[in-house]
Amino acid sequence: MDVIDSRLIDLLQENGRATQLELAKAVGLSQPAVAERIRKLEDRGVITGYTARIDAIKLGLDLTAFIGVGIEHPKFFDGFTKKVMGLEEVLECHRVAGEDSYLLKVKTRNTRSLDRLLVEVLRTIPGVTRTHTTIVLSSIKEETLVRSGLAEDSHA
């Protein structure tokens, strides 16, 4: 990956609806050259997909929470991850080191729906020994951009 690939990745993350022509102008290449670079980045799995960012509150999902989940034994990890993959409330699931086995980021409508998720779903998954929940009062920064650093290094 070179500086141009890095810049294309940054541009696409900033505006996933940018045309190949707009991207070509921004990086100083032809449209076919940009198309080929993007195809290669997709083929290598650097670019994994395209999406729109949504204001969850406007969809009625007013509550964001982080849930630490303790799992009794690693033999339960596969079953837990399969179950979590099917839960639309779970936006992120990370296996972590420390007291918790997993850390989840969830969005729900309210505390009642969060309670249902905890009691009726998560705590009933085989191997789950405990959960602890932190409710978000306000979000200072939520970012999805992942910068490679190559484009910035070239300006130094």
Side-chain angles (χ1 to χ4, degrees), residues 15-68:
N15 179 8
R17 296 181 70 178
T19 66
Q20 290 180 353
L21 189 56
E22 291 168 334
L23 295 169
K25 288 179 184 176
V27 298
L29 294 177
S30 68
Q31 181 274 325
V34 165
E36 179 65 13
R37 282 178 176 260
I38 290 172
R39 186 193 60 76
K40 286 180 179 177
L41 289 166
E42 292 168 345
D43 289 348
R44 291 190 351 241
V46 176
I47 296 174
T48 60
Y50 300 86
T51 187
R53 292 186 64 184
I54 304 299
D55 184 337
I57 292 171
K58 291 184 179 170
L59 296 178
L61 299 172
D62 294 336
L63 193 142
T64 302
F66 290 90
I67 304 171

Side-chain angles (χ1 to χ4, degrees), residues 65-71 77 80-81 84-85 90-106 122 132 142-143 146:
F66 290 90
I67 304 171
V69 180
I71 304 288
F77 286 177
F80 177 81
T81 57
V84 166
M85 292 299 289
V90 177
L91 301 181
E92 297 178 20
C93 176
H94 306 276
R95 195 156 73 80
V96 296
E99 286 186 43
D100 298 321
S101 304
Y102 290 90
L103 181 63
L104 310 179
K105 179 181 179 181
V106 303
L122 293 176
H132 74 270
E142 281 188 292
E143 191 60 65
V146 178

